[in-house]
Amino acid sequence: MPGKRVVILGGGFGGAAAARTLRKLLPAEHTVTLVDRQRRTYLCGSLPWLIVGERQPEKISRSLGALIQRGVAYAEAEIEGIDLSERRVALGNGALDFDYLVVATGAEYDWNAVPGARQAHSFYSLGTARSLRDALRSFRKGRIVIAVSRLPYKCPPAPYEAAMLLDALLAHRGVRSDVDIHVFTPEPAPLRITGPERSAQFKAYLASRGITVHNNESVKEIDPDGRQVRFQSGESIGFDLMVTVPVHRSAPFVRSAGLVNDSGWVPVDSATLATKHAGVYAVGDVTTVPMANGNPLPKAGVFAGAEGELVARNIAAEVMGGERSRFAGEGYCFVDHGKGKGALIRGSFLAAGQPQVELTAPSVQWRRRKEQFEADWRAWKV
Ligand SMILES: Cc1cc2nc3c(=O)[nH]c(=O)nc-3n(C[C@H](O)[C@H](O)[C@H](O)COP(=O)(O)OP(=O)(O)OC[C@H]3O[C@@H](n4cnc5c(N)ncnc54)[C@H](O)[C@@H]3O)c2cc1C
């Protein structure tokens, strides 16, 4: 039997999990090649800590070089296209033929979708998080507006987490009463996946910390000179510091390969992550997986990782023979509250009828677990 060629596009949560698992399960005659434009990857879950000075970039990064030591072939290259009929991927410096393909290229940001977004702050990438951290060093008075531009976006709790960390930072600095914090979101309620009652409690909890949440608001434009942000609803508000969650989209080569549907994301079988093309899978943020309530599964690293592992096990089972597994949609996400505490959202996101998801009370334990997760990620344990 000739060796199979498995190509994995993207070395983030989903792609790295798929590469490691495949290399463990497949004998050496089969090749596992991972492609990413950057060798060093960053743990986005730690970016909210970076903006308040609790982390340095080195402490929240790891190198894909560690996978080479485990027998994965790593190609540092720009992915430019996928030819599904020829079963070939075009790279900036060559091409790769595949028998199996795992698309794990995540979401990219469209900074032009909202006029003025480029001039605003953000924390959704290492570069933007660093410059927000620098701007916050001298911030002592005024209004901070954090606005989610559109749905879907990565890690639904992240804007609230950032708001709570800013609250804690400014209180520590002794200037909290001079600063207003507002969060705007297109969602009808914050963390609505946890159910109407818990979501209302969370909104009230944020209000008790002086964080006002405005729902059903999508950003229309930002006027950096006039310091005003306008929303699709016609509402507007002035700001001294504007922080956006940018518009997310799939990479151009994913769209031009014909892999996406009207949502702009790759539809997959929710149990197997298979696309409609034989031997072609997609995992993580690049996908759209419907939950029972009609909304898409949240874009989160824990799902991307679990999906990457599952697809790897199933490809190995197809190549070697063996049992197939099904993705259950079980997951969790930490929500740091600042002041040494955190909480956890966890549950069964693909449960029949409704997602069954809870938000725990904040505690020191969950903050420690998030720190442990970060350490495990850096040590390649997750
Ligand atoms: C501020 C913030 C906080 C978050 N907090 C959490 C959290 O607490 N818990 C959680 O579970 N999730 C969290 N997330 C979400 C999590 O980071 C993502 O859901 C996860 O990274 C998705 O994994 P992925 O493998 O699908 O894509 P990614 O991790 O984004 O990886 C995609 C990879 O593809 C590569 N790539 C893309 N296009 C190309 C190309 N053309 N050529 C070459 N390489 C390419 C990229 O370089 C990248 O390395 C957070 C995200 C943010 C922004």
Side-chain angles (χ1 to χ4, degrees):
M1 174 177 74
K4 297 289 183 195
R5 298 154 303 178
V6 187
V7 173
I8 299 160
L9 304 182
F13 261 95
R20 286 161 62 201
T21 310
L22 272 159
R23 199 57 290 172
K24 251 188 258 166
L25 297 177
L26 284 180
E29 71 257 31
H30 307 289
T31 57
V32 177
T33 306
L34 182 132
V35 188
D36 201 301
R37 58 161 76 99
Q38 54 187 31
R39 185 175 282 253
R40 190 150 279 281
T41 59
Y42 291 86
L43 183 61
C44 288
S46 298
L47 293 177
W49 284 340
L50 188 139
I51 63 175
V52 294
E54 290 189 29
R55 286 294 179 279
Q56 295 300 324
E58 314 78 63
K59 202 173 167 193
I60 60 168
S61 72
R62 68 184 186 186
S63 167
L64 293 175
L67 291 175
I68 302 172
Q69 289 150 24
R70 296 172 192 217
V72 173
Y74 169 57
E76 189 168 338
E78 185 70 25
I79 304 152
E80 295 187 339
I82 304 171
D83 187 331
L84 290 167
S85 50
E86 293 294 324
R87 301 184 82 73
R88 179 169 299 150
V89 177
L91 305 179
N93 54 8
L96 282 171
D97 294 322
F98 63 83
D99 298 298
Y100 294 95
L101 182 70
V102 182
V103 182
T105 42
E108 62 169 38
Y109 305 134
D110 182 357
W111 294 102
N112 296 322
V114 169
R118 266 184 204 284
Q119 288 79 46
H121 285 285
S122 185
F123 59 99
Y124 262 60
S125 63
L126 180 68
T128 56
R130 269 180 167 151
S131 75
L132 176 55
R133 175 199 58 190
D134 295 346
L136 282 167
R137 282 196 180 123
S138 55
F139 193 85
R140 289 193 152 60
K141 193 176 169 58
R143 180 179 294 146
I144 299 177
V145 172
I146 301 174
V148 177
S149 304
R150 302 272 186 284
L151 302 177
Y153 67 96
K154 296 180 199 183
C155 191
Y160 308 109
E161 189 174 72
M164 290 188 281
L165 287 166
L166 291 180
D167 165 55
L169 173 78
L170 296 163
H172 181 71
R173 206 175 269 172
V175 297
R176 181 64 182 92
S177 56
D178 296 328
V179 180
D180 242 7
I181 304 178
H182 293 259
V183 180
F184 289 77
T185 171
E187 283 203 296
L191 305 184
R192 68 178 160 158
I193 197 161
T194 59
E197 206 174 303
R198 195 66 187 90
S199 171
Q201 282 170 6
F202 183 57
K203 188 169 179 171
Y205 170 75
L206 290 168
S208 76
R209 290 183 58 174
I211 298 163
T212 310
V213 178
H214 307 256
N215 297 110
N216 300 309
E217 297 286 7
S218 303
V219 183
K220 186 175 178 207
E221 57 187 340
I222 299 162
D223 172 0
D225 301 323
R227 297 189 165 203
Q228 284 273 320
V229 49
R230 285 183 270 282
F231 296 91
Q232 306 278 9
S233 65
E235 289 295 316
S236 64
I237 189 169
F239 61 78
D240 297 287
L241 189 77
M242 179 71 214
V243 182
T244 63
V245 173
V247 173
H248 289 35
R249 67 178 179 196
S250 57
F253 72 86
V254 174
R255 282 176 273 139
S256 61
L259 281 167
V260 305
N261 65 11
D262 289 348
S263 70
W265 306 100
V266 182
V268 286
D269 181 309
S270 60
T272 63
L273 289 308
T275 69
K276 60 182 184 201
H277 307 276
V280 178
Y281 298 84
V283 299
D285 289 355
V286 76
T287 66
T288 181
V289 177
M291 296 188 294
N293 63 5
N295 295 323
L297 185 72
K299 296 196 182 301
V302 283
F303 290 130
E307 291 167 0
E309 252 183 69
L310 177 119
V311 162
R313 282 201 302 274
N314 285 349
I315 292 175
E318 191 171 321
V319 174
M320 312 286 297
E323 289 246 327
R324 309 286 165 86
S325 317
R326 292 174 72 79
F327 178 59
E330 309 283 335
Y332 64 89
C333 187
F334 300 102
V335 191
D336 198 39
H337 281 45
K339 304 180 180 176
K341 289 189 178 175
L344 190 75
I345 296 182
R346 65 180 161 201
S348 194
F349 288 71
L350 293 179
Q354 274 294 322
Q356 301 297 320
V357 180
E358 66 157 348
L359 173 63
T360 68
S363 73
V364 172
Q365 175 212 351
W366 293 122
R367 158 79 192 204
R368 290 206 185 116
R369 290 280 288 275
K370 180 164 174 153
E371 287 170 344
Q372 187 58 51
F373 181 88
E374 183 189 56
D376 287 348
W377 179 86
R378 283 189 71 212
W380 284 96
K381 290 185 188 159
V382 288

